[in-house]
Amino acid sequence: MYPLEECKKEIAEHIQKTIANYHIPYEIRVETPPGNMGDFAFPCFPLAHLIKKSPNEIAKEIAISIPTSKWITKVEAQGGYVNFFIDSTNLTAVTLQSILKNKETYGYLQKKKEKVIIEHTSANPNGPLHVGRARNPIIGDTLVRLYKAAGYDVESQFYLDDMGKQVAILAWGIHHLEQKNIPPMENTKADHQMVGYYQTANERMETDTTIAKQIGELVKKLERGDHDTIEMIHSSYTPVLEGIKQSLERINIHIDSFVPESTFVYDKSVDRIIKELKQTTYCHEEDDAFYLDMEPFGIHGRNTKFFFLRRDGTTLYATRDIAYHQWKAQHADILINVLGEDHRLEAQQVKVALELLQTKILPKVVFYAFVSLPGGKMSTRRGRVVYLDDLIDECIEHAYEEVKKRRANELTESQMRNIAEQVGIGSLRYNIIKVQPEKDIVFTWEDALNFEGNAIPFIQYAHARACSILSKTNTNLHTFDPTLLIHSSERTLIKKLALFPLVIEEASNACKPHSIANYLFEVASVFNQFYRDCPVLSEENTVLRSSRLALVSATEIVLKNALNLFGISAPAEM
RNA sequence: GGGCGUGUGGCCUAGCCUGGAUAAGGCACCGGCCUUCUAAGUCGGUAAUCGCGGGUUCGAAUCCCGCCACGUCCGCCA
């Protein structure tokens, strides 16, 4: 158990003991007070109601009953709160020990037995990834890293749409359109080169019904398992998918497995699901097509019919998605999906169907709002997009300019390029992950390339500063005396570092990766204050110097570990 | 029309789940700090009836109800 967890537990147990005298069931929650009113606080107001005493009276009773201990140095009743002051020397000792011992696993939680499948990105392979949905891979990959840190066995999956209309349109375009009719793309990656075929085929399809019919025919053949069609579609989207993978790798995102939708059609599991859904009482037929009535499940609107089987006997995306989820439920203990907000209804429908089919594990879904452009939403079909590849390039280029501005005289070209890469990609990921997923983001180049304030260079710079100090010493074995680290900047920093495991715990439990961004910013911020107040290398007291070096080393570890949760690298110099 | 999501200083964000002690940061703006471990830093200042109106509560940014604005969905698309 990590130091602060132990400390919190002890405080809660003490309170529990005293409260037991009141003979009422009560759940204890310890909070953090503002200002310098202690390290932990326990509000007595709700208790006052239950046992008919004033909050301050109760606070006093509790305060008196709690003995000082290894952790607790002082307990005070103040304005209805019990304020706890913890032994900072002890906290310093055990926290630094824990960090320096665990190093790259400090903050990580105990290994758990559960397997987690996190589905994210799952973009149609018909063109390059664009910024409108860029939150998906970034949130998804951060969750993957977070859950690994929280001790789970994690697998990331990309649900590959190889059966739908979108890939059929792409394939039709590639096989029927001539290159000269496709608007040229600068980027030579296959996904960029191919997207024009998709866009043009889409336009043609809208005006030409025979094309629409041909594409519909492709979809039907696919579903029947026609070998040549499968081959044709597969060879069309594969290069595009490779391009998508390359883009993801550029921002440090690796996906463990790609699960094609067709799997569930060809292994007949979709057929089984249809059969089972038809047997439920909510199933109805209309013009030979089948649907579930969603009204009893609290889904309202103009149309509450969830069609899962077309009149022509072919399945729908959501139907196949049900099969996919049943399959996932057999291979994991916890399922997490990262989906755009446009999938909210579909996710509900799938969930209801899974419940009707008595599936044991239902997915926990993280929805995100689209990143839109000032004029409205992005659209691959209409070509109104900012592609992820272009944003990556711009971020790196902007970072390069900034490094060059500052360090051109000191660093080599390749060093600057290397730093620019780390800062640029970090910036892209951080700017997206730091805001909660449900919040709308309007994309502007100004914001996307913002390197000021709560942005990644601030955090990476703090890390670089720590590395710089550490690089100027000839040992990395820093012995420390916890009684010497008593400056308020030192104490604030140590307390912040001690919090890291609790931050991981909370962020993973609540599926809220953005809360780590706040923490990361705070660590960098208090480290900068320490840097200002407490000289390290020039400190003449050798024991204090060594103790501060230990603290710098610990900070460096926490910053690096936290950045790693975001897939952002921690440069040693900037 | 209905469902869901969002609304916090001029701008952006955290806090909302689990109500609690002066609403926390960043940008911008104003004024300081580099012969001292990289100033991509730091200190101070100006600036908010937490969308609006009710309710619950000793106490509401937080919970409940109504309304408004924006986003999103209500396809035998994905």
Side-chain angles (χ1 to χ4, degrees):
Chain A
M1 194 182 285
Y2 286 104
L4 222 45
E5 290 177 286
E6 201 184 285
C7 175
K8 259 182 124 164
K9 195 175 149 224
E10 188 185 305
I11 289 172
E13 279 168 2
H14 277 302
I15 298 169
Q16 185 65 63
K17 226 182 269 173
T18 307
I19 287 185
N21 299 330
Y22 301 140
H23 304 292
I24 43 144
Y26 191 76
E27 197 200 334
I28 289 164
R29 233 165 37 85
V30 179
E31 51 187 63
T32 308
N36 43 11
M37 286 182 282
D39 300 291
F40 293 106
F42 176 71
C44 302
F45 305 93
L47 273 173
H49 203 66
L50 295 167
I51 60 176
K52 306 210 166 29
K53 280 185 185 174
S54 80
N56 214 27
E57 211 174 326
I58 299 167
K60 278 179 188 155
E61 282 181 19
I62 295 174
I64 289 168
S65 78
I66 293 174
T68 57
S69 69
K70 189 180 89 179
W71 279 111
I72 305 166
T73 54
K74 192 168 72 169
V75 188
E76 262 180 13
Q78 204 185 113
Y81 288 86
V82 185
N83 291 334
F84 296 83
F85 294 79
I86 65 173
D87 187 327
S88 57
T89 305
N90 185 39
L91 181 69
T92 301
V94 291
T95 300
L96 292 187
Q97 259 163 29
S98 177
I99 298 171
L100 299 175
K101 190 184 107 212
N102 290 302
K103 294 196 177 65
E104 64 276 3
T105 61
Y106 171 72
Y108 283 31
L109 310 181
Q110 207 165 32
K111 283 263 171 289
K112 298 173 177 66
K113 294 208 169 58
E114 287 104 327
K115 162 99 185 257
V116 186
I117 291 177
I118 298 180
E119 181 205 333
H120 69 83
T121 308
S122 302
N124 281 323
N126 53 13
L129 290 174
H130 66 74
V131 175
R133 293 181 182 274
R135 282 175 129 172
N136 199 323
I138 292 169
I139 292 168
D141 184 61
T142 306
L143 285 172
V144 169
R145 291 164 184 271
L146 178 58
Y147 270 79
K148 281 180 182 167
Y152 294 96
D153 174 18
V154 185
E155 180 181 337
S156 56
Q157 291 191 352
F158 181 118
Y159 185 43
L160 176 62
D161 172 20
D162 62 340
M163 295 230 82
K165 208 182 226 174
Q166 308 305 320
V167 279
I169 294 169
L170 173 76
W172 185 91
I174 289 170
H175 286 81
H176 293 86
L177 298 170
E178 286 181 62
Q179 194 180 358
K180 63 172 198 263
N181 296 324
I182 305 300
M185 291 288 278
E186 256 178 58
N187 197 318
T188 55
K189 282 175 71 216
D191 46 347
H192 291 264
Q193 290 299 312
M194 298 299 192
V195 72
Y197 291 93
Y198 170 76
Q199 287 163 333
T200 310
N202 231 308
E203 281 165 28
R204 298 274 176 89
M205 183 183 75
E206 274 168 21
T207 50
D208 188 338
T209 51
T210 62
I211 294 174
K213 231 177 251 170
Q214 285 175 19
I215 288 167
E217 206 46 48
L218 282 178
V219 175
K220 252 177 247 170
K221 279 186 184 167
L222 263 183
E223 183 138 359
R224 282 200 303 265
D226 180 80
H227 191 78
D228 291 345
T229 312
I230 293 171
E231 262 313 299
M232 173 209 174
I233 297 278
H234 187 263
S235 65
S236 300
Y237 75 70
T238 300
V240 176
L241 185 63
E242 285 307 313
I244 288 173
K245 282 190 208 175
Q246 284 167 20
S247 302
L248 292 173
E249 297 285 349
R250 287 185 80 192
I251 54 173
N252 304 327
I253 295 174
H254 174 80
I255 288 166
D256 296 323
S257 39
F258 290 75
V259 183
E261 262 188 65
S262 56
T263 312
F264 308 106
V265 175
Y266 302 146
D267 76 0
K268 307 282 182 215
S269 59
V270 175
D271 293 342
R272 178 178 47 79
I273 277 160
I274 289 165
K275 211 156 118 196
E276 287 174 19
L277 286 178
K278 278 182 179 172
Q279 282 163 8
T280 66
T281 52
Y282 306 95
C283 178
H284 302 279
E285 198 177 341
E286 185 178 297
D287 301 332
D288 300 326
F290 290 84
Y291 67 89
L292 294 177
D293 183 13
M294 290 284 120
E295 190 84 55
F297 301 99
I299 292 173
H300 310 282
R302 283 191 210 110
N303 184 358
T304 59
K305 294 169 185 171
F306 164 33
F307 279 92
F308 60 90
L309 189 64
R310 287 195 189 98
R311 186 196 325 202
D312 64 8
T314 59
T315 59
L316 288 106
Y317 165 81
T319 322
R320 289 169 246 142
D321 206 12
I322 296 165
Y324 173 41
H325 277 86
Q326 283 213 325
W327 176 80
K328 282 197 283 190
Q330 287 167 0
H331 291 85
D333 305 291
I334 298 172
L335 302 180
I336 296 173
N337 298 340
V338 182
L339 298 173
E341 59 183 343
D342 56 338
H343 274 65
R344 279 191 132 106
L345 177 62
E346 191 262 352
Q348 267 297 309
Q349 292 168 333
V350 169
K351 193 178 151 211
V352 168
L354 287 170
E355 274 170 336
L356 287 176
L357 300 174
Q358 289 165 355
T359 312
K360 295 275 190 305
I361 303 160
L362 299 176
K364 183 174 171 47
V365 187
V366 176
F367 292 103
Y368 63 91
F370 299 122
V371 178
S372 58
L373 289 169
K377 69 186 277 190
M378 295 192 195
S379 158
T380 302
R381 204 158 31 94
R382 287 177 291 155
R384 224 184 84 85
V385 284
V386 174
Y387 291 116
L388 181 60
D389 286 313
D390 297 334
L391 180 57
I392 296 170
D393 292 341
E394 287 295 328
C395 284
I396 293 172
E397 191 50 37
H398 183 61
Y400 175 73
E401 281 159 24
E402 295 293 323
V403 192
K404 201 171 173 184
K405 206 155 64 184
R406 289 162 237 260
R407 309 289 307 276
N409 299 328
E410 302 159 79
L411 301 176
T412 65
E413 178 69 14
S414 79
Q415 281 175 314
M416 290 194 292
R417 286 285 169 200
N418 183 278
I419 292 166
E421 173 97 10
Q422 299 185 57
V423 174
I425 285 167
S427 175
L428 169 50
R429 288 193 64 147
Y430 187 79
N431 280 343
I432 291 206
I433 205 68
K434 74 176 177 185
V435 319
Q436 50 172 260
E438 312 83 64
K439 216 123 176 172
D440 297 334
I441 294 182
V442 178
F443 179 89
T444 61
W445 282 106
E446 197 192 339
D447 289 344
L449 299 177
N450 175 37
F451 280 9
E452 268 162 20
N454 185 358
I456 208 62
F458 177 86
I459 293 155
Q460 289 177 321
Y461 185 68
H463 177 267
R465 275 181 151 177
C467 288
S468 173
I469 293 173
L470 296 171
S471 72
K472 292 185 172 66
T473 63
N474 42 23
T475 171
N476 50 10
L477 291 169
H478 308 298
T479 52
F480 63 92
D481 179 350
T483 61
L484 295 182
L485 297 171
I486 50 170
H487 191 285
S488 73
S489 294
E490 290 166 334
R491 289 187 166 178
T492 308
L493 177 56
I494 290 158
K495 229 181 117 181
K496 198 56 86 177
L497 300 181
L499 216 53
F500 189 44
L502 308 192
V503 170
I504 290 186
E505 168 110 63
E506 209 178 303
S508 58
N509 283 342
C511 245
K512 281 185 172 171
H514 74 276
S515 61
I516 297 169
N518 291 310
Y519 171 76
L520 194 45
F521 181 72
E522 285 167 9
V523 174
S525 187
V526 294
F527 176 70
N528 280 331
Q529 285 153 32
F530 160 81
Y531 184 92
R532 175 199 64 207
D533 295 334
C534 305
V536 181
L537 298 173
S538 61
E539 177 53 51
E540 284 170 14
N541 177 339
T542 54
V543 185
L544 177 56
R545 181 176 185 272
S546 172
S547 302
R548 284 186 173 159
L549 279 167
L551 178 52
V552 172
S553 178
T555 307
E556 189 270 334
I557 290 167
V558 172
L559 284 172
K560 200 195 305 175
N561 291 0
L563 283 169
N564 188 41
L565 290 176
F566 288 141
I568 296 174
S569 52
E573 70 174 333
M574 284 175 69

